[in-house]
């Protein structure tokens, strides 16, 4: 709209400049008394010659229509004996009467008092009043030229002003073709804050959304592939051992009750390992397969951490672990799914029972932060042969649950041991 306004202003100024200059020239050269006299003499001579060449009679003046049409800038009235017999004006000539004092006819081409000439026709004479106004032809040409020049300037200025926009549109077209080819990493150029700039920003947001979705899908496929690989290994080992013990029980002919009891206990242990892995696998798919967000409820922070972390730490001490437990006063309300948060804590302390070294203390700290609560658990890993290799399903499930609570879940492992840190934001 600004480009249109500027172009219209420039066109109007040019139109007024040409129009004023042309009209001034016409007024000085074509609308003077001298110019009018020259035009009138030239017109009267041309009309007399036309009457003579075509032998026009007063009884039939219709051939004059062609001359009047050709000479568009001349008005003509012919009258005889005080009555108008022909007029280029569009009215009924039969009802027009010229006063007797204005109807005197003299010799050929003399001028009467009303400015009429006496013309000789094929069958007599009559008074002819000619009024040329050829200067209007120049006025019309001045108007046309002014309008045309103003319009051309409007188009020129407007196209020049929107050239950047049209170039930007062409650029967006080319960049969209790049995106259409599958190169979604290509960032669309954003220029300006108008509608085109907003369009480019929208395309970039859509592009980033598609990239994020593709990345999540790739991560999900990778995670599932790793899960299948890990579970196939973790399930195969105890299942093979279980089948071996069952075959020994079936084939052994010994009646050694102690040996049979040993085989049964070992089989039961392997079966429990398989059950625990299947439970973890079911829990993993239950959390990752859920599309809607879990139902949250407001919970007091102190009660939440005392009932989950505090009780689990006390139970860990009952299993023979040395626990350094520190918890601050957790003021404030937290929106959580209590069942899911308890599942996270249970997973973490279950891992401590299986993988933590009992000869080293387990450090548990619940700290109040500005935006919520941070739980940190640090332990040393067992190094004996009874340690079972972990597939990491439980930790992945914990990370997913904390993400649904808009929190975070991180794990680090070094020479000093294994550390888990989770953050739960306040309401």
């Amino acid at each position: 709209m600004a480009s249109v306004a500027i172009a219209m202003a420039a066109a109007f100024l040019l139109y007024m400049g040409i129009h004023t200059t042309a009209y001034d020239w016409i007024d000085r050269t074509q609308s003077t008394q001298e110019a009018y006299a020259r035009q009138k003499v030239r017109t009267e001579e041309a009309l007399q010659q036309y009457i003579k060449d075509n032998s026009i009679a007063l009884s039939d003046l219709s051939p004059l229509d062609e001359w009047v049409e050709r000479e568009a800038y001349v008005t003509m009235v012919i009258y005889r004996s005080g009555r108008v017999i022909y007029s280029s004006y569009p009215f009924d000539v039969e009802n027009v009467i010229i006063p007797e004092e204005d109807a005197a006819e003299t010799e050929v081409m003399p001028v009467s008092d009303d400015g009429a000439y006496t013309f000789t026709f094929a069958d007599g004479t009559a008074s002819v009043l000619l009024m040329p106004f050829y200067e209007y032809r120049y006025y019309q040409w001045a108007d046309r030229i002014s309008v045309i020049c103003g319009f051309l300037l409007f188009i020129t200025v407007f196209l020049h002003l929107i050239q950047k926009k049209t170039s930007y549109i062409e650029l967006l077209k080319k960049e969209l073709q790049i995106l259409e080819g599958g190169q979604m990493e290509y960032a669309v150029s954003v220029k300006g804050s108008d509608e085109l700039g907003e369009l480019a920003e929208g395309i970039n947001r859509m592009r980033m959304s598609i990239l994020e979705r593709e990345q999540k899908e790739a991560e999900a496929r990778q995670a599932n592939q790793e899960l299948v690989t890990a579970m196939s290994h973790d399930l195969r080992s105890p299942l093979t051992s279980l089948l071996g013990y069952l075959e020994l029980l079936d084939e052994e002919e010994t009646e050694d009750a102690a040996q049979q009891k040993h085989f049964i206990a070992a089989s039961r242990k392997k079966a429990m390992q398989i059950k625990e892995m299947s439970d973890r696998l079911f829990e993993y798919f239950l959390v990752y397969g859920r599309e809607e967000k879990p139902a949250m409820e407001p919970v007091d922070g102190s009660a939440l951490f005392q009932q989950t972390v505090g009780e689990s730490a006390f139970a860990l001490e009952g299993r023979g672990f040395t626990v350094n437990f520190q918890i601050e006063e957790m003021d404030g309300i937290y929106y959580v799914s209590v069942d899911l948060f308890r599942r996270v804590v249970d997973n973490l302390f279950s891992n401590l029972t299986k993988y933590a070294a009992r000869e080293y203390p387990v450090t548990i700290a619940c700290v109040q932060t500005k935006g919520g609560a941070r739980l940190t658990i640090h332990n040393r890993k067992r190094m004996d042969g009874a340690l079972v290799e972990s597939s990491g399903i439980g930790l992945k499930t914990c990370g997913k649950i904390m993400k649904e609570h808009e929190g975070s879940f991180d794990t680090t492992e070094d020479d000093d041991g294994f550390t888990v840190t989770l953050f739960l934001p306040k309401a």
Side-chain angles (χ1 to χ4, degrees), residues 72-85:
Y73 297 93
V74 177
T75 300
M76 178 174 60
V77 177
I78 303 175
Y79 53 92
R80 188 181 188 188
S81 301
R83 182 175 296 277
V84 175
I85 58 176

Side-chain angles (χ1 to χ4, degrees), residues 47-342:
L47 176 60
Q48 184 63 71
Q49 187 65 38
Y50 182 79
I51 293 173
K52 181 179 179 181
D53 294 342
N54 293 276
S55 301
I56 300 175
L58 294 174
S59 58
D60 184 14
L61 296 175
S62 58
L64 289 177
D65 294 339
E66 181 181 352
W67 187 87
V68 171
E69 184 178 358
R70 186 178 66 193
E71 301 292 333
Y73 297 93
V74 177
T75 300
M76 178 174 60
V77 177
I78 303 175
Y79 53 92
R80 188 181 188 188
S81 301
R83 182 175 296 277
V84 175
I85 58 176
Y86 183 87
S87 176
S88 60
Y89 286 112
F91 54 71
D92 186 5
V93 298
E94 294 181 357
N95 299 322
V96 179
I97 299 176
I98 302 298
E100 290 294 335
E101 59 272 14
D102 296 333
E105 296 178 3
T106 58
E107 300 299 328
V108 177
M109 296 296 289
V111 179
S112 63
D113 294 337
D114 59 357
Y117 286 92
T118 301
F119 277 60
T120 301
F121 293 84
D123 55 353
T125 60
S127 297
V128 178
L129 179 62
L130 290 174
M131 291 175 288
F133 48 94
Y134 289 100
E135 66 274 11
Y136 285 97
R137 175 173 55 191
Y138 297 100
Y139 286 127
Q140 289 181 351
W141 276 107
D143 292 338
R144 294 169 184 170
I145 293 174
S146 300
V147 171
I148 293 174
C149 291
F151 177 76
L152 292 177
L153 183 63
F154 170 82
I155 295 297
T156 303
V157 173
F158 180 72
L159 291 179
H160 176 72
L161 292 176
I162 68 171
Q163 182 180 7
K164 291 183 178 180
K165 297 302 178 185
T166 55
S167 301
Y168 186 35
I169 292 174
E170 289 295 326
L171 177 61
L172 288 179
K173 178 182 177 182
K174 294 178 181 178
E175 292 181 336
L176 285 176
Q177 291 174 350
I178 294 175
L179 296 180
E180 185 180 0
Q183 301 182 29
M184 301 303 295
E185 297 81 7
Y186 185 86
V188 176
S189 303
V190 179
K191 297 181 180 180
S193 58
D194 57 1
E195 291 84 353
L196 292 177
E198 293 176 358
L199 174 62
E201 290 180 355
I203 294 174
N204 274 331
R205 288 194 296 268
M206 179 183 66
R207 179 182 61 83
M208 295 302 298
S209 177
I210 294 175
L211 284 176
E212 183 179 355
R213 184 179 63 185
E214 290 179 349
Q215 182 180 359
K216 289 182 178 179
E217 291 176 353
E219 291 175 353
R221 288 194 298 268
Q222 181 67 21
N224 289 333
Q225 184 177 358
E226 293 175 355
L227 174 65
V228 171
T229 303
M231 289 302 299
S232 63
H233 175 268
D234 294 344
L235 286 175
R236 187 182 295 112
S237 297
L239 186 59
T240 302
S241 300
L242 176 61
L243 292 175
Y245 287 126
L246 292 176
E247 288 179 0
L248 288 174
L249 284 173
D250 184 55
E251 295 177 358
E252 282 290 338
E253 297 179 356
T254 179
E255 296 181 358
D256 190 348
Q259 190 175 20
Q260 290 182 356
K261 188 175 182 181
H262 170 71
F263 289 157
I264 293 173
S267 299
R268 183 182 294 109
K269 181 179 179 181
K270 297 301 178 183
M272 291 302 296
Q273 288 182 6
I274 295 174
K275 179 182 181 299
E276 184 178 355
M277 290 181 187
S278 62
D279 289 343
R280 291 290 180 90
L281 185 64
F282 175 76
E283 184 180 71
Y284 175 86
F285 283 111
L286 183 64
V287 172
Y288 274 83
R290 182 177 56 247
E291 295 183 358
E292 69 279 359
K293 292 190 65 174
M296 305 290 184
E297 57 181 308
V299 179
D300 178 71
S302 296
L304 175 67
F305 283 92
Q306 285 288 354
Q307 293 177 7
T308 55
V309 182
E311 293 177 0
S312 298
F314 180 76
L316 191 64
E317 288 181 338
R319 292 177 176 270
F321 287 87
T322 301
V323 180
N324 294 331
F325 181 48
Q326 300 176 355
I327 182 170
E328 296 182 357
E329 186 67 24
M330 299 292 176
D331 58 340
I333 300 298
Y334 294 80
Y335 276 102
V336 296
S337 171
V338 179
D339 292 338
L340 290 179
F341 186 76
R342 186 181 294 277

Side-chain angles (χ1 to χ4, degrees), residues 280 308 312 341-351:
R280 291 290 180 90
T308 55
S312 298
F341 186 76
R342 186 181 294 277
R343 183 176 298 173
V344 171
V345 176
D346 290 344
N347 273 332
L348 295 178
F349 280 88
S350 176
N351 286 344

Side-chain angles (χ1 to χ4, degrees), residues 37-53:
R38 289 195 303 269
Q39 292 172 2
K40 189 171 183 180
V41 170
R42 187 166 53 247
T43 303
E44 290 167 346
E45 292 176 351
L47 176 60
Q48 184 63 71
Q49 187 65 38
Y50 182 79
I51 293 173
K52 181 179 179 181
D53 294 342

